[in-house]
Amino acid sequence: AQSVAQPEDQVNVAEGNPLTVKCTYSVSGNPYLFWYVQYPNRGLQFLLKYITGDNLVKGSYGFEAEFNKSQTSFHLKKPSALVSDSALYFCAVRPATSGTYKYIFGTGTRLKVLA
Amino acid sequence: GAGVSQSPSNKVTEKGKDVELRCDPISGHTALYWYRQRLGQGLEFLIYFQGNSAPDKSGLPSDRFSAERTGESVSTLTIQRTQQEDSAVYLCASSFFRVDQPQHFGDGTRLSIL
């Protein structure tokens, strides 16, 4: 079965420290991978995606993610966390199969950046 | 430019009543999705529309739930005879019909069943 796992319900990090939010996936074939962020009472906002090419993808608000095919992971990172980064983060995968249109979302990781 | 618009933003209704939720996708986006998000939880896929193709209704939890879409524009999600377990945020998203394209989400309708 195709799935996405975000093993941490919550991640706490001090402001100014690097942050990592983990995501692993299990799909058949090559995946297209996405990260979204959700602020309170808002919908999800697209941060970045991996389609092909460089394993390190840069996105909005200084976030980046590293695709690791052998570990089937796509961890979200930021070199220096801000209090305003505190939010709910979702990893999503879309199998790169013709006609496959569903996105599979992880359960979300709540990031708390402490001042 | 305009994003995905959902209305109402909040809806409070009594158990047993019918509700209708509306979604206006981004112009040019042929794909439209509905999700349900219960408090503190992830996204639960409900239904998917693509152009004039038959929708994928595989995520609808019961026959009380239905959805329609007019061409490639507005969609409505209807819940009949609401139950308390229907309380959740209902999110709509749209995208271009390409596998490498991200979804764009509305801010959702927060539905509370008394």
Side-chain angles (χ1 to χ4, degrees):
Chain A
Q2 304 186 104
S3 64
V4 173
Q6 292 182 244
E8 301 152 319
D9 289 337
Q10 180 158 324
V11 170
N12 296 327
V13 63
E15 186 176 29
N17 281 3
L19 69 87
T20 299
V21 182
K22 295 179 180 178
C23 172
T24 60
Y25 63 90
S26 174
V27 298
S28 54
N30 293 321
Y32 293 143
L33 295 154
F34 303 83
W35 274 103
Y36 292 85
V37 60
Q38 185 178 34
Y39 297 101
N41 300 314
R42 301 298 302 275
L44 279 66
Q45 291 180 40
F46 168 69
L47 277 179
L48 50 79
K49 66 180 179 181
Y50 172 81
I51 303 302
T52 187
D54 265 347
N55 289 341
L56 186 64
V57 178
K58 294 190 183 294
S60 306
Y61 312 121
F63 283 93
E64 56 190 30
E66 187 168 11
F67 172 65
N68 187 317
K69 187 172 183 177
S70 63
Q71 297 186 1
T72 62
S73 67
F74 189 54
H75 300 331
L76 182 70
K77 302 183 179 190
K78 187 173 182 181
S80 179
L82 300 172
V83 172
S84 57
D85 293 330
S86 298
L88 188 57
Y89 290 81
F90 289 96
C91 180
V93 63
R94 191 175 191 182
T97 305
S98 176
T100 304
Y101 47 78
K102 281 187 185 176
Y103 296 77
I104 304 165
F105 283 86
T107 52
T109 297
R110 188 164 302 280
L111 174 66
K112 191 168 184 180
V113 181
L114 307 169
Chain B
V4 177
S5 177
Q6 291 189 246
S7 61
S9 54
N10 286 283
K11 177 73 176 178
V12 180
T13 192
E14 294 179 347
K15 177 183 171 181
K17 299 287 189 183
D18 297 352
V19 295
E20 189 173 279
L21 313 179
R22 177 187 170 104
C23 172
D24 279 280
I26 292 172
S27 178
H29 282 189
T30 58
L32 186 147
Y33 304 75
W34 283 98
Y35 296 91
R36 179 168 67 181
Q37 185 178 29
R38 290 202 165 105
L39 187 63
Q41 298 190 18
L43 274 66
E44 178 185 358
F45 168 79
L46 296 178
I47 188 168
Y48 162 80
F49 295 91
Q50 165 51 34
N52 294 317
S53 301
D56 179 343
K57 306 179 181 180
S58 61
L60 294 178
S62 77
D63 58 8
R64 296 186 296 106
F65 288 72
S66 63
E68 293 183 348
R69 187 179 185 192
T70 308
E72 295 182 353
S73 60
V74 172
S75 176
T76 55
L77 176 69
T78 301
I79 308 174
Q80 296 179 309
R81 306 180 302 281
T82 52
Q83 303 293 313
Q84 287 189 330
E85 63 263 27
D86 299 334
S87 295
V89 175
Y90 290 82
L91 292 167
C92 175
S94 69
S95 75
F96 291 111
F97 186 55
R98 282 179 46 175
V99 292
D100 63 340
Q101 292 298 301
Q103 296 180 309
H104 297 262
F105 284 80
D107 285 339
T109 294
R110 185 174 301 276
L111 178 63
S112 299
I113 310 299
L114 302 178

